[in-house]
Amino acid sequence: MTITIPEARTSTAAVAVRCTNVTKIYGEGDSAVTALDDVSAEFARGDFTAIMGPSGSGKSTLLHCLAGLDTPTAGRIWLSDAEITGLSDREVTLLRRDRIGFVFQAFNLLPTLTAGENILLPLKIAGRKPEPKWADQVVDALGLRDRLTHKPSELSGGQQQRVAAARALTTRPDVVFADEPTGALDSHSATELLLFLQKAVHDLGQTIVLVTHDPVAASYASQVVFLADGRIVDEMQRPTAGRVLDYMKRLGA
Amino acid sequence: MFGVALKGLVAHKLRVLLSALSIALGVAFVSGTLVLGDSVNASLTAAYENQYDSTDVVVRAPASLEDSEAIDQRRPIPAELLPSVLSAPGVAAAEGKVTGFAMIVDKSGQAITRNGAKTEGTSAPTIATLGGETEMRSGRMPKNSGETAIDASTANTGGYALGDQVRVIFRTGSQTFRLVGTVGFGDQNSFAGNSTAFFDTATTQRVLGKIGQYDEIRASADGGVSPQKLRDAIEQSLPRGVEAVTGTVAASQAAHIVKDGLKIVNTILLVFAAIAVFVGSFIIWNTFSIIVAQRTRELALLRAVGATRGQVRRSVLVEALLIGLGASIIGIGIRRALRTAWSRP
């Protein structure tokens, strides 16, 4: 099927994702829960940002809102120069398809498709042809060349997450959102994946927003945003695992 | 997206098989019911229609009841009418026919009946063209009061061979005849499922209590005389209370009666089909919603990587369409297989 939308272009805006005064309240009346409370943030192009916080701090909610998977109760969100708050479901979907990549903690791949088909799925859905050079570059960088014809069930957890990362990058998105991508991996596979994400930022100029509660994972990012009770409480540049851990202890996580 | 739906189908053979099975069975039942109704309808209607195949005019008493024109519901007509029909201008041949209740008994003394079909005794046609589709399967038609010919199907059921003694029960009593022939009707071995015993005309009149009477006189026209002309000519010579109709009219009336009689059967079959569809749709709907529920995570992933609501909906619909189409074809195949197995004796 062909859907005519403007081809995704790598925008020249310096800010990849921006949100102002975003509030998200689940439920109503007495049972209302405020997951995000007046959050404003900017994620610069080419940055690798980790969002950290204790369980229930609202970090996943923030990611879902930024990615257009969930609608904030109040506030505005921009992806590059396009505002996604106020768009229709269809418009947000098309924006997501062309400008956002995802890596989740689990169930990133369609079990019925091979690794190669999974990587090209967003392009196939969009009815676009992959850029062969770019796709090859991503596949090789992730060491997936000899795994492309395998079904997800024939891959290790680490390999599955690398396939998911490759899928997130094939569309050359404005930003890749990763939600606890190492949560289900052993430390070796986790390190591999994080090194790759780091490489994608440094070598390929990608923008990555990583949600995690693991200080080691966060230390691969170039900056960390700390979230507690739905508010941004602090930021840290060039984090190390030790410093992040110390800070988290102070937050009472 | 279409490819994704297709791959999903191939990958989940068991899942597909189960929902396909319920669809296939439903389709088999419904189409079987409809086809059964239609084929019963067609074969019975054809039998009653074809009996007047080369008969141009039928002389008979008018129907005694307004909306029933069945032959049994008519009074007999006097046999003396035959000479005057024969002498009407344009008549090539004419013959009287008597029909009534006659039940053939098998060798152990049990009456041979087939689920509500009629058991009839009738006069053997001596003029082949006036006998409709009646044709000999073996032997010949009876020529004297001690002989009978019966339909090939009943002969088969009763285990009768030519030369056997066959006992037939009438309203007035029973009598034993020597079997001299078996009879078919076109490509059927029985007339609309009835059991039919043929006797010579005089014997038929006697055993059915219609001495000196016919139920109808069938006449054929000389070359160049239209049935309508012949009907008009014959009617001139008929007394009050006797009518002449063309063979076509008689045939369509006979077929109409059969259709009327089968209406209730068709309705019942349709009700069963409706119940089958109703129950089947619940099973199918249930199975399919389970399938979709199992796929929630897959569908969510598709939405996350940029599939629109429409695309996801279409992929589910494509899957349903493919399963439905494939299973329907299988269902029709099952129905055909069952029908073949059934119709084999």
Side-chain angles (χ1 to χ4, degrees):
Chain A
M1 59 198 75
T2 29
I3 292 159
T4 45
I5 55 111
E7 185 84 358
R9 298 253 178 268
T10 312
S11 167
T12 48
V15 175
V17 186
R18 183 156 63 95
C19 67
T20 54
N21 312 105
V22 166
T23 299
K24 177 71 187 180
I25 299 170
Y26 289 108
E28 277 174 20
D30 290 345
S31 61
V33 175
T34 306
L36 293 177
D37 187 4
D38 200 30
V39 173
S40 298
E42 279 188 2
F43 302 89
R45 181 161 307 284
D47 259 6
F48 187 175
T49 310
I51 300 178
M52 286 213 67
S55 302
S57 60
K59 51 191 193 300
S60 282
T61 305
L62 178 60
L63 181 117
H64 290 163
C65 286
L66 294 178
L69 290 174
D70 208 342
T71 348
T73 314
R76 302 172 72 182
I77 297 164
W78 287 265
L79 190 65
S80 297
D81 38 15
E83 181 173 358
I84 66 170
T85 32
L87 292 183
S88 72
D89 176 75
R90 182 182 166 77
E91 288 165 326
V92 171
T93 302
L94 297 184
L95 207 66
R96 194 161 60 222
R97 189 182 76 187
D98 295 315
R99 296 204 188 178
I100 299 179
F102 279 105
V103 185
F104 300 107
Q105 180 175 353
F107 207 83
N108 269 301
L109 309 176
L110 285 187
T112 53
L113 303 182
T114 64
E117 289 167 333
N118 264 296
I119 291 174
L120 298 179
L121 184 63
L123 292 173
K124 205 173 173 188
I125 290 172
R128 274 161 57 192
K129 287 263 176 297
E131 301 167 44
K133 251 183 82 185
W134 173 255
D136 280 353
Q137 206 178 338
V138 169
V139 166
D140 287 334
L142 282 162
L144 290 168
R145 179 62 55 196
D146 56 342
R147 289 281 179 273
L148 290 181
T149 56
H150 289 59
K151 288 276 171 66
S153 57
E154 298 158 354
L155 301 175
S156 70
Q159 287 168 336
Q160 288 184 27
Q161 289 305 74
R162 277 188 278 153
V163 171
R167 188 206 47 220
L169 292 169
T170 41
T171 55
R172 280 179 182 272
D174 284 358
V175 59
V176 171
F177 289 110
D179 191 357
E180 305 270 14
T182 58
L185 298 184
D186 60 83
S187 62
H188 177 70
S189 304
T191 306
E192 246 180 21
L193 185 70
L194 289 163
L195 282 173
F196 171 74
L197 292 180
Q198 215 172 35
K199 207 169 137 192
V201 173
H202 292 151
D203 299 357
L204 307 174
Q206 282 295 325
T207 311
I208 295 179
V209 177
L210 169 78
V211 161
T212 182
H213 64 262
D214 174 11
V216 178
S219 69
Y220 286 83
S222 47
Q223 59 174 338
V224 181
V225 171
F226 291 96
L227 219 63
D229 298 326
R231 293 165 184 272
I232 292 181
V233 290
D234 210 343
E235 281 182 33
M236 185 187 289
Q237 300 295 323
R238 287 177 301 283
T240 65
R243 285 172 60 210
V244 173
L245 187 59
D246 287 345
Y247 191 86
M248 290 294 284
K249 275 180 186 157
R250 267 185 281 145
L251 274 181
Chain B
M1 281 305 282
F2 184 76
V4 173
L6 215 63
K7 285 237 169 61
L9 277 185
V10 175
H12 301 291
K13 290 185 197 69
L14 184 68
R15 202 167 74 177
V16 167
L17 203 73
L18 288 176
S19 50
L21 186 69
S22 52
I23 297 173
L25 289 180
V27 168
F29 190 45
V30 171
S31 70
T33 309
L34 293 175
V35 169
L36 176 67
D38 264 9
S39 65
V40 165
N41 227 336
S43 67
L44 292 190
T45 309
Y48 278 93
E49 248 168 7
N50 296 344
Q51 63 174 328
Y52 292 112
D53 258 0
S54 38
T55 299
D56 291 315
V57 174
V58 178
V59 176
R60 61 189 189 185
S64 40
L65 292 167
E66 285 250 327
D67 38 343
S68 174
E69 289 155 328
I71 198 163
D72 295 332
Q73 251 70 54
R74 294 168 192 276
R75 283 174 292 105
I77 54 175
E80 303 90 81
L81 289 176
L82 184 57
S84 62
V85 170
L86 274 168
S87 61
V91 171
E95 182 170 42
K97 182 177 155 111
V98 197
T99 304
F101 175 85
M103 194 178 260
I104 300 166
V105 175
D106 70 12
K107 287 174 176 170
S108 64
Q110 293 285 316
I112 300 172
T113 55
R114 244 176 263 113
N115 318 324
K118 287 184 190 169
T119 57
E120 283 191 326
T122 190
S123 52
T126 55
I127 299 158
T129 53
L130 296 178
E133 288 190 306
T134 310
E135 57 193 40
M136 300 312 297
R137 288 280 187 266
S138 68
R140 55 172 174 81
M141 279 296 183
K143 282 186 179 147
N144 62 53
S145 62
E147 294 177 346
T148 187
I150 64 177
D151 66 271
S153 171
T154 305
N156 187 40
T157 310
Y160 285 120
L162 296 189
D164 283 353
Q165 294 295 310
V166 179
R167 200 158 74 86
V168 185
I169 299 170
F170 306 102
R171 293 205 192 281
T172 51
S174 73
Q175 190 183 329
T176 303
F177 300 86
R178 195 168 72 86
L179 187 66
V180 297
T182 58
V183 183
F185 306 84
D187 56 356
Q188 299 293 310
N189 278 338
S190 76
F191 181 82
N194 297 350
S195 81
T196 314
F198 291 85
F199 312 100
D200 72 31
T201 305
T203 308
T204 318
Q205 287 172 324
R206 181 174 54 77
V207 294
L208 297 181
K210 293 179 178 172
I211 293 168
Q213 293 175 322
Y214 294 129
D215 286 302
E216 63 184 28
I217 295 170
R218 296 177 177 188
S220 61
D222 279 328
V225 179
S226 75
Q228 192 58 41
K229 268 225 175 87
L230 187 71
R231 191 205 77 85
D232 296 345
I234 289 175
E235 195 168 45
Q236 300 285 316
S237 63
L238 294 180
R240 201 179 268 277
V242 181
E243 64 173 14
V245 295
T246 60
T248 322
V249 169
S252 76
Q253 283 175 349
H256 183 72
I257 293 158
V258 177
K259 278 183 190 146
D260 261 8
L262 285 177
K263 243 181 213 160
I264 180 71
V265 177
N266 286 333
T267 308
I268 291 171
L269 287 177
L270 273 177
V271 167
F272 275 116
I275 293 172
V277 170
F278 187 69
V279 174
S281 65
F282 272 102
I283 298 170
I284 294 160
W285 187 77
N286 211 0
T287 322
F288 210 78
S289 23
I290 291 171
I291 287 180
V292 173
Q294 283 173 341
R295 287 182 54 191
T296 309
R297 292 205 299 178
E298 271 178 52
L299 300 179
L301 177 62
L302 282 170
R303 290 282 284 127
V305 299
T308 60
R309 273 176 207 282
Q311 283 178 309
V312 170
R313 187 179 300 125
R314 276 192 293 275
S315 87
V316 172
L317 286 181
V318 162
E319 180 173 335
L321 190 76
L322 288 177
I323 294 180
L325 204 69
S328 299
I329 292 170
I330 294 171
I332 290 170
I334 294 176
R335 196 265 297 156
R336 288 182 70 102
L338 284 179
R339 185 163 152 70
T340 319
W342 242 311
S343 54
R344 206 166 283 149

